[in-house]
Amino acid sequence: MKFSYKNVYGTPEYEKFCSKKDYVLDEKYLSDTEIEDLEDGYTVEVTVHDHREDCNGMLVMNADKAKCVLKKDGEKIYEYIRQTNSTFHMFSPFCHQDGHVYYPFHIDLYGISYLNLDTAEVYHYVPEGYETQYQIPCGESFIVTGVNYDKETNLVVYDGCYWAGCYELYVGDLTSPLAFNPHLACIRDMLQEREACDFYDVYFVKWDENQIVVKAENDEGTREYTVSFEEIRKEIARIEKEGK
C-alpha cells in the first residue's frame, strides 16, 4: 500500500469533512478547559468540546473538537481549532536559522503546522497518508508527539508513532517551515537495513557533530546508535525521488 504525501488541508473534501462537526463548538458541548505551559512565557489555553450519546449503556463519541489560544505572557497571539481532541502533545516555539521564531502545532491527529510568530504566516500540512476504507479524506500517517529542531543543519527530528505501533523517529528538512519538505527519513528503517536486525522502539538522544544519537531496542536489548546527517539527507532524497 503506497503512502500519499498529498496535502489534503484546504481541499473541498477535507473542509466538508471537518465542517460536519462544527456544531460541537457550541457552548452546550463544552466539557473541559485546560492551560498548557510551554517555554519562555508561552501558554496554550485549550477549550474542549465533545458530544457523546448513550448507546445501549455505552457512551459513544459523536463529535469532538478543541479551541486553542496561544498566548505570550498572557496576551493572545493566535487562535486555532483542533479537529479532534485525541491525545495531543504541545510543542514549544523555537528560533529558526532564518531568524524567525516558529510555533509547531496540531490541527488534526496527523500532520503538523507551523506558525511564524514574527509575521503571523502559517502553514498547515495534513497528509493524505495511507488509503482508508472509511469515508474520510485522509488515512493513517505518522503521529508527531515531539519536535526537535537543529538550527545548524535545518533538520528536524519528529518523535511519534503509527497508531498502536512502535515508538519511532522520522527526520525531515525544515529549511522552509512554511513550505517544508514532507518526505521524512525513518531512523528505524535505516538502522534495520544497516544493522541487519529488527528494531522496536527508537528514541532521540541528542544532536551531535555531523550526526544524531538515538537509543534503539532490539532482541539483544537497548543501546545507543549514531546516524550521520549525510545518511539522513541521502535517505530523504531517495524517498522524495521515489515518492514513497
Side-chain angles (χ1 to χ4, degrees):
M1 187 182 298
K2 190 172 181 180
F3 185 90
S4 170
Y5 287 91
K6 176 185 175 182
N7 187 2
V8 300
Y9 177 81
T11 62
E13 296 80 10
Y14 183 75
E15 295 300 319
K16 181 180 179 180
F17 175 74
C18 293
S19 66
K20 289 180 180 179
K21 300 192 298 178
D22 282 348
Y23 74 89
V24 81
L25 293 173
D26 190 282
E27 284 296 315
K28 68 180 179 180
Y29 296 115
L30 175 63
S31 65
D32 191 23
T33 299
E34 53 193 48
I35 303 293
E36 296 284 345
D37 290 318
L38 305 180
E39 298 176 357
D40 299 325
Y42 288 99
T43 60
V44 181
E45 182 178 288
V46 182
T47 306
V48 178
H49 297 252
D50 59 49
H51 176 206
R52 304 169 189 261
E53 284 189 336
D54 185 281
C55 181
N56 298 322
M58 295 183 61
L59 279 178
V60 177
M61 179 73 77
N62 286 342
D64 66 314
K65 291 197 178 192
K67 291 182 180 179
C68 302
V69 179
L70 175 68
K71 297 181 178 181
K72 169 69 170 178
D73 297 328
E75 181 178 345
K76 178 179 174 180
I77 296 176
Y78 182 72
E79 181 175 334
Y80 57 98
I81 302 294
R82 286 196 318 225
Q83 297 302 326
T84 175
N85 196 48
S86 299
T87 301
F88 281 90
H89 291 72
M90 294 291 185
F91 315 120
S92 294
F94 61 83
C95 184
H96 191 270
Q97 190 182 93
D98 66 11
H100 292 290
V101 178
Y102 292 89
Y103 168 60
F105 63 101
H106 284 297
I107 59 165
D108 213 321
L109 180 61
Y110 302 118
I112 191 75
S113 299
Y114 284 97
L115 168 68
N116 185 323
L117 291 173
D118 301 315
T119 66
E121 295 174 281
V122 65
Y123 178 67
H124 301 292
Y125 177 67
V126 180
E128 189 171 39
Y130 287 108
E131 183 179 351
T132 174
Q133 59 182 334
Y134 305 107
Q135 298 301 308
I136 57 177
C138 58
E140 185 174 335
S141 61
F142 188 65
I143 301 171
V144 176
T145 62
V147 177
N148 297 280
Y149 168 73
D150 180 51
K151 194 173 182 179
E152 296 300 317
T153 63
N154 274 332
L155 291 175
V156 60
V157 175
Y158 294 116
D159 305 78
C161 65
Y162 277 87
W163 196 248
C166 296
Y167 202 74
E168 301 191 51
L169 298 177
Y170 278 72
V171 185
D173 187 324
L174 201 62
T175 301
S176 303
L178 301 183
F180 59 83
N181 182 351
H183 298 85
L184 306 175
C186 177
I187 297 301
R188 183 161 67 96
D189 287 350
M190 294 177 69
L191 287 177
Q192 288 183 161
E193 181 176 354
R194 191 179 74 188
E195 304 293 330
C197 68
D198 291 330
F199 285 89
Y200 309 113
D201 294 330
V202 182
Y203 299 94
F204 176 73
V205 176
K206 64 179 179 178
W207 297 98
D208 205 356
E209 186 176 358
N210 299 319
Q211 61 189 8
I212 63 169
V213 181
V214 304
K215 188 174 290 186
E217 176 189 3
N218 59 24
D219 289 336
E220 297 181 354
T222 302
R223 73 177 183 86
E224 290 189 353
Y225 297 84
T226 60
V227 184
S228 72
F229 297 151
E230 181 181 6
E231 291 177 87
I232 290 170
R233 293 194 184 280
K234 284 183 178 179
E235 179 67 2
I236 293 172
R238 182 191 69 79
I239 294 171
E240 185 175 17
K241 183 178 180 179
E242 296 182 1
K244 289 181 62 178

